[in-house]
Amino acid sequence: MEARDGGHGEVVVDDWTPSELEHLGTIELYSEDSALTSHGEGTRRVREGRVAVHHPVVYSLRHADFPDLITRRTDAANLVFALVHFRFDLLALGKRRHYAELRFGVSLDDETVRAFSLHPTSVTSPVDVERDRRFTISPGLALIGLGDGPGEFSSGKTFRYTELRPMISASGEGSSSFSWTFDAQEGAPLTPGGRACFAVIELPVAFMSGGGAFTADVVVRRRILGVLTNVTTISDRLPFTVHMGPTGLVFGAM
């Protein structure tokens, strides 16, 4: 998907029905159960769920909108910055199963391409939800929650989730590998459906193309021999390409 200009206005982050063109790929989730085979005891793969990953939306960021960054970073002139909106669906499970945890990861092959800032980073209570439901990019390029306050920052753009639920945590700021973890709230399963995460990415001006992979580490609760059990799934990485297009950073399927 082509990059978008990071101009003024509010972007509404809501549940969406992606078109086929927006679909980048699917991560299949499996577990391994004990099984009796012709060679004796062994294991068999059991499908536990799926994560549908969609093409990220990229907003190009202009140095002129972030004066604090220019002041603090002597290397800013040699870097390009972009806001990336990662989108994926945790697809519904079969009967007698529910999700307990999901960690969605992004890994970039080029270590000079890094996550400068992530959002959301810590949503554990209704107070955090109200703080982070609306957010913007500060003059120093940090993604920060606005609560009910005005978005008076030089980037001029704000984002608003129509729904943001605990529990969410993020890790990997400053790294080429970063992730968000979604946990079930006490007494309730982790609901299937669309999820959205954001990262300000920094990369060298000389960057032309590279690759990476999306990952999904999921815990499913299901009954095994009558006992409700947490099952940690296994999955393959979903590779992607990334290159610098005429209007900015572009992600694609490999």
Side-chain angles (χ1 to χ4, degrees), residues 1-59:
M1 179 170 287
E2 289 295 328
R4 300 183 182 183
D5 178 67
H8 291 8
E10 182 174 77
V11 176
V12 177
V13 183
D14 57 4
D15 287 335
W16 72 98
T17 303
S19 68
E20 290 186 9
L21 291 177
E22 292 181 295
H23 181 67
L24 190 145
T26 301
I27 301 175
E28 303 284 349
L29 307 170
Y30 296 92
S31 64
E32 290 186 341
D33 278 2
S34 298
L36 190 62
T37 70
S38 58
H39 303 289
E41 290 188 2
T43 60
R44 63 184 179 93
R45 271 194 164 192
V46 177
R47 174 180 282 179
E48 298 288 358
R50 293 181 299 159
V51 176
V53 182
H54 311 296
H55 284 272
V57 178
V58 181
Y59 299 88

Side-chain angles (χ1 to χ4, degrees), residues 54 68 73 83-84 90-92 101 108 134 141 155 162 211 214-215 217 235 243:
H54 311 296
D68 285 12
R73 295 282 299 266
L83 174 63
V84 184
L90 187 59
L91 300 180
E101 179 182 304
L108 295 154
R134 290 182 66 242
L141 266 184
S155 67
T162 56
F214 296 113
T215 59
D217 299 303
S235 64
H243 71 272

Side-chain angles (χ1 to χ4, degrees), residues 105-127:
V106 182
S107 180
L108 295 154
D109 295 339
D110 189 333
E111 294 185 355
T112 65
V113 182
R114 296 187 289 262
F116 181 83
S117 182
L118 302 174
H119 190 88
T121 56
S122 179
V123 179
T124 62
S125 70
V127 173

Side-chain angles (χ1 to χ4, degrees), residues 66-119:
F66 303 97
D68 285 12
L69 178 76
I70 305 302
T71 302
R72 292 189 296 105
R73 295 282 299 266
T74 57
D75 60 344
N78 299 317
L79 297 172
V80 175
F81 298 92
L83 174 63
V84 184
H85 175 186
F86 295 102
R87 310 176 302 161
F88 58 94
D89 273 310
L90 187 59
L91 300 180
L93 289 168
K95 294 180 179 179
R96 297 182 293 277
R97 283 174 164 82
H98 64 260
Y99 292 110
E101 179 182 304
L102 160 69
R103 185 171 70 87
F104 178 77
V106 182
S107 180
L108 295 154
D109 295 339
D110 189 333
E111 294 185 355
T112 65
V113 182
R114 296 187 289 262
F116 181 83
S117 182
L118 302 174
H119 190 88

